[in-house]
Amino acid sequence: MNGPINKQSVVILIGPPGSGKGTQAELLAEKFGLFHLESSKVIEEKIKNADPNDEILQKEKGLWESGKLNTPELVLEWIKEKAKEVASEGHGIVFSGSPRTLYEAEGEMPLLEKLYEKDNIKIINIELNEEESIKRNSKRRICKDSRHPIPNFPEFENITKCPKDGSEIITRLLDNPETIEIRLQEYANRTVPIIDFLKKRNYKIMETNGEQPIEKVFRDILEKIN
Ligand SMILES: [Zn+2]
């Protein structure tokens, strides 16, 4: 049932803020030629190209710019649209921030199963305890141009430019201590239930310990999915 990863695979990474989902997704995308589908980028793309006369999109733009959550129904539609586009181009997908809620999981899984077949969909749960998540998020950095996450590991501590595109590194405003608590709570209440949903749908959830160094987590993921 669990065949190796290839260009027709889908990998879904689940994990709390700071678990390194984005970093692992980038590594998987690079190694297997998968498209890294990030909800934030999908939303940003929609909003950047929003027609000034499109009232719905303008309202979403306002939400986005004020840091509020976009309308779940629309975000789900946009993610599904993007998944269809990527599938039609013949690429697999690695997800690092979606599904984020049961609502998204219920909407996305049937489509992904139709596009890629269930056996080609791998689910990885990157575990990280709350204390470590808070510690990592309290100094989370991203690059200004492409929002590449700068991993919170010693080997990246002293860099000042993004290793991928050389752009400036900024600290995400989202990540002050109260916001982290809220995000962790949201994760526990809204994202963790996805795991049960997927188990009931007969998915095997592969688990890895997110406290390990990046390379080790990556090797662990490769061993488990292949
Ligand atoms: Zn960058």
Side-chain angles (χ1 to χ4, degrees):
M1 174 180 154
N2 284 300
I5 285 283
N6 57 57
K7 283 196 146 192
Q8 290 308 313
S9 300
V10 170
V11 182
I12 296 174
L13 298 169
I14 300 172
S19 58
K21 294 187 296 285
T23 305
Q24 296 299 332
E26 286 288 314
L27 292 170
L28 287 165
E30 206 172 301
K31 185 168 176 80
F32 297 107
L34 305 172
F35 180 84
H36 180 190
L37 199 154
E38 295 169 272
S39 315
S40 60
K41 283 222 177 117
V42 172
I43 296 169
E44 212 175 5
E45 207 175 283
K46 277 280 168 191
I47 281 163
K48 239 190 245 167
N49 306 318
D51 179 340
N53 297 316
D54 186 327
E55 279 176 35
I56 293 173
L57 278 183
Q58 288 306 319
K59 191 182 144 244
E60 294 300 317
K61 190 176 182 179
L63 290 172
W64 173 257
E65 285 170 353
S66 62
K68 296 199 180 103
L69 287 179
N70 287 90
T71 307
E73 290 81 0
L74 282 173
V75 174
L76 173 61
E77 276 320 302
W78 296 342
I79 292 171
K80 284 164 74 177
E81 205 177 276
K82 189 75 191 178
K84 280 186 214 163
E85 184 190 313
V86 175
S88 75
E89 288 164 355
H91 297 292
I93 307 179
V94 53
F95 288 88
S96 65
S98 186
R100 172 166 288 183
T101 59
L102 205 49
Y103 173 78
E104 273 183 21
E106 286 167 350
E108 286 169 25
M109 296 317 293
L111 174 71
L112 293 176
E113 287 161 12
K114 200 176 108 198
L115 295 172
Y116 292 95
E117 294 179 10
K118 206 165 191 165
D119 285 352
N120 294 321
I121 303 175
K122 320 280 176 186
I123 321 278
I124 314 276
N125 182 17
I126 307 179
E127 295 176 303
L128 191 70
N129 66 46
E130 193 171 316
E131 194 188 333
E132 188 64 20
S133 178
I134 291 171
K135 201 178 108 196
R136 288 188 184 178
N137 280 282
S138 59
K139 50 172 190 174
R140 187 173 166 128
R141 298 181 301 163
I142 58 168
C143 89
K144 200 173 170 184
D145 291 353
S146 314
R147 300 172 144 238
H148 292 129
I150 309 301
N152 197 0
F153 286 91
E155 57 262 50
F156 292 94
E157 216 163 83
N158 296 318
I159 62 163
T160 53
K161 295 260 188 278
C162 174
K164 295 219 174 83
D165 56 25
S167 85
E168 195 188 323
I169 291 169
I170 54 172
T171 300
R172 268 172 61 166
L173 289 174
L174 283 172
D175 298 326
N176 66 52
E178 297 97 273
T179 319
I180 297 163
E181 298 275 350
I182 293 167
R183 287 173 67 206
L184 282 171
Q185 224 154 37
E186 280 268 289
Y187 179 76
N189 296 337
R190 304 188 69 198
T191 307
V192 171
I194 291 173
I195 293 172
D196 270 334
F197 166 81
L198 291 169
K199 279 183 186 162
K200 281 188 197 133
R201 233 178 146 83
N202 290 317
Y203 284 100
K204 185 179 156 212
I205 314 289
M206 292 165 252
E207 283 165 359
T208 181
N209 173 9
E211 277 182 58
Q212 307 172 96
I214 297 172
E215 286 304 320
K216 195 125 196 305
V217 174
F218 188 52
R219 253 184 287 142
D220 198 24
I221 290 175
L222 293 182
E223 260 170 45
K224 284 176 176 154
I225 54 181
N226 272 306

